[in-house]
Every structure is written in C-alpha cells, then in structure tokens.
Amino acid sequence: AGLNGGGYFGISTGYADNHYWIAGSSTAYSTPINLINDGQFHHYSIAFDSAILGAQSTHIMLEQFATDIPGAAVFAHVSVTDTPVAAVPEPETYAMMIAGLGALAFLRRRQKTA
C-alpha cells in the first residue's frame, strides 16, 4: 500500500527470461490482473497453473517497488495453497465425441434402410 510504490505477482521456472507476471499495479508490464494502488490494503485471491510455463517446478515471484519512499509498497499476509483443479475437457474433445456419435447415428440409419 502506498501511492508512491507498487508491485507484481508472478511465477517463474527460475530462469531470468522464463517468467510470467500474473498481476501488477503498474502499466510497465502488461498483466491479466490489475492490482489497485490507492494507498490502502486490498485482498486478492489469484489462481494459477504452473503448466503455463511447461515446468515441473515453479517459483512464486513477488516484486515490490517504491519510487521515492522506502517501504512504500508492501505485500503482507501472503499465503499459498495447493488446490488441485479439476481437468476441463478441451473443445476438440467435445467435437470429436459429437462427430463420433453422428457417424454412429448415420451408420445405424443406413443399416435400417438397407
């Protein structure tokens, strides 16, 4: 919290060029989630999948900065939980299933007319 500072939340595989910023309070880096920087504390719940980087091991990154006042930006009470997320079938899976059912219906109709 602090109008003269801000911060970013991201994940990395530990290599300098292999990171992904998920949330940030500045426009310097484009992030999917914008953190509010109004001098007040705000609560965020951010879900992410380490598969974004295609890595077995992922590091959480917190970067805070202040433009002119030491300690103006603060990440406080940070907690991390490992919550498995149910797999969601891809649209291609549904398309293949519908195409297969359609082919079966066509073959069944064709056998009745023969």
Side-chain angles (χ1 to χ4, degrees):
L3 296 176
N4 296 319
Y8 289 95
F9 170 82
I11 56 177
S12 169
T13 56
Y15 303 110
D17 292 333
N18 198 12
H19 63 274
Y20 179 73
W21 293 116
I22 295 173
S25 64
S26 171
T27 57
Y29 296 107
S30 176
T31 59
I33 300 170
N34 292 323
L35 301 177
I36 298 169
N37 188 22
D38 62 0
Q40 303 295 314
F41 282 101
H42 297 274
H43 175 266
Y44 295 93
S45 178
I46 301 171
F48 65 92
D49 185 353
S50 62
I52 292 171
L53 298 174
Q56 296 292 328
S57 175
T58 302
H59 307 276
I60 295 174
M61 302 183 311
L62 298 173
E63 180 179 299
Q64 52 193 16
F65 61 88
T67 55
D68 61 358
I69 300 172
V74 177
F75 284 103
H77 308 291
V78 176
S79 65
V80 178
T81 58
D82 183 11
T83 306
V85 178
V88 177
E90 297 177 15
E92 294 85 10
T93 304
Y94 287 121
M96 293 290 287
M97 183 179 71
I98 291 170
L101 291 173
L104 288 174
F106 175 75
L107 290 174
R108 185 172 180 185
R109 177 179 270 175
R110 190 171 180 198
Q111 287 177 349
K112 285 183 180 181
T113 59

